[in-house]
Amino acid sequence: AQSVAQPEDQVNVAEGNPLTVKCTYSVSGNPYLFWYVQYPNRGLQFLLKYITGDNLVKGSYGFEAEFNKSQTSFHLKKPSALVSDSALYFCAVRDRASGTYKYIFGTGTRLKVLA
Amino acid sequence: NAGVTQTPKFQVLKTGQSMTLQCAQDMNHNSMYWYRQDPGMGLRLIYYSASEGTTDKGEVPNGYNVSRLNKREFSLRLESAAPSQTSVYFCASSETGQEGHTQYFGPGTRLTVL
C-alpha cells in the first residue's frame, strides 16, 4: 500500500538558518512527489514536484527538494529560512504506475521560524 | 481567474441534518477531488472525479455522496451528518494532461456537527 511519512510534527529553526522538512514514501512503482504549504485558514498551495530527471527540484519561494530513490525520501529544504515561511507543510505522493488519480498525503509538519 | 472556489466557508449542523458543499473551478481541469483535513491525520481523500461523468471512492467515502454536475462543478453531500464528520473540507482540481497532475486547492469549508 502507498504511504507517506513525515516523521516530525514540528520543526523549529532560527531565521537565516537552513531548514529541512523530512518526507519518506512507500509506493510500488515510480512516484510523482509533491510538496504543498498551508498558511492559517487557507487552502494548500503547490510548492514543487518531482516528475523525472534531476533529483534536485527547485520550487516557489526559494524552496527545493531532493529526490533520493534509494532512501525513498523527498526532503524539503531552504538555504535561509524566513519568518514568513512559518506554516504547515505537506508531502504527497502519487504512484504513476497505478493508473489512478489517488494522491496520498502525509500528516503534515508545522514549521516555525523564530526571529 | 478565481481558481477553485468553495461555498460555504463555514457551516454548523445538528446531527442528522443534511447539506451540500459546493465546489467550482475555472481552470478547465478534468479531475476534481474532495478531501477532509483532521488534526494529526493530514488530508484524506473522500471522493474524486477523474473526468466529467465519472466518480470514484477515495479513502474515507462512508457517509458522503458526490455529484460531478459538469466539468466545472463537483459537489459533496452529507445526507445525515454525524459529529465524526466535523472537519475542514477541501476541494481540489488538476489537469490530467499535465505531467504529474499538480492539484490546486480551494480555501476550504469548516464544518461543525453538533
Side-chain angles (χ1 to χ4, degrees), chain B residues 4-58:
Chain B
V4 180
T5 57
Q6 293 182 236
T7 55
K9 284 189 169 49
F10 302 94
Q11 184 71 48
V12 179
L13 293 178
K14 295 180 180 177
T15 297
Q17 287 185 318
S18 62
M19 79 161 294
T20 299
L21 282 65
Q22 306 287 354
C23 173
Q25 53 93 6
D26 62 2
M27 295 174 282
N28 202 35
H29 286 167
N30 285 321
S31 302
M32 297 185 75
Y33 312 80
W34 276 106
Y35 292 91
R36 58 178 291 172
Q37 181 180 25
D38 301 294
M41 303 194 74
L43 271 74
R44 292 182 292 168
L45 182 65
I46 305 171
Y47 272 93
Y48 67 100
S49 170
S51 61
E52 188 179 354
T54 68
T55 60
D56 284 286
K57 294 179 181 179

Side-chain angles (χ1 to χ4, degrees), chain A residues 32 34 36 38 41-46 49 51 88 90 94 96 100-108, chain B residues 31 33 35 37 40-43 45 48 50 57 90 94 96 98-103 105-107 110:
Chain A
Y32 293 120
F34 302 82
Y36 289 85
Q38 185 181 32
N41 301 313
R42 304 283 296 276
L44 278 70
Q45 296 178 32
F46 169 73
K49 65 183 176 185
I51 305 299
L88 187 57
F90 289 97
R94 176 172 169 260
R96 70 181 77 199
T100 74
Y101 293 84
K102 292 183 181 179
Y103 296 73
I104 305 296
F105 282 79
T107 52
Chain B
S31 302
Y33 312 80
Y35 292 91
Q37 181 180 25
M41 303 194 74
L43 271 74
L45 182 65
Y48 67 100
K57 294 179 181 179
F90 288 101
S94 70
T96 52
Q98 181 193 63
E99 187 69 46
H101 305 197
T102 301
Q103 293 188 312
F105 286 81
R110 189 173 296 273

Side-chain angles (χ1 to χ4, degrees), chain A residues 6-12 21 87-89 107-111, chain B residues 40:
Chain A
Q6 293 182 242
E8 301 153 319
D9 289 337
Q10 182 161 316
V11 170
N12 295 329
V21 182
L88 187 57
Y89 290 81
T107 52
T109 298
R110 189 166 299 281
L111 174 67

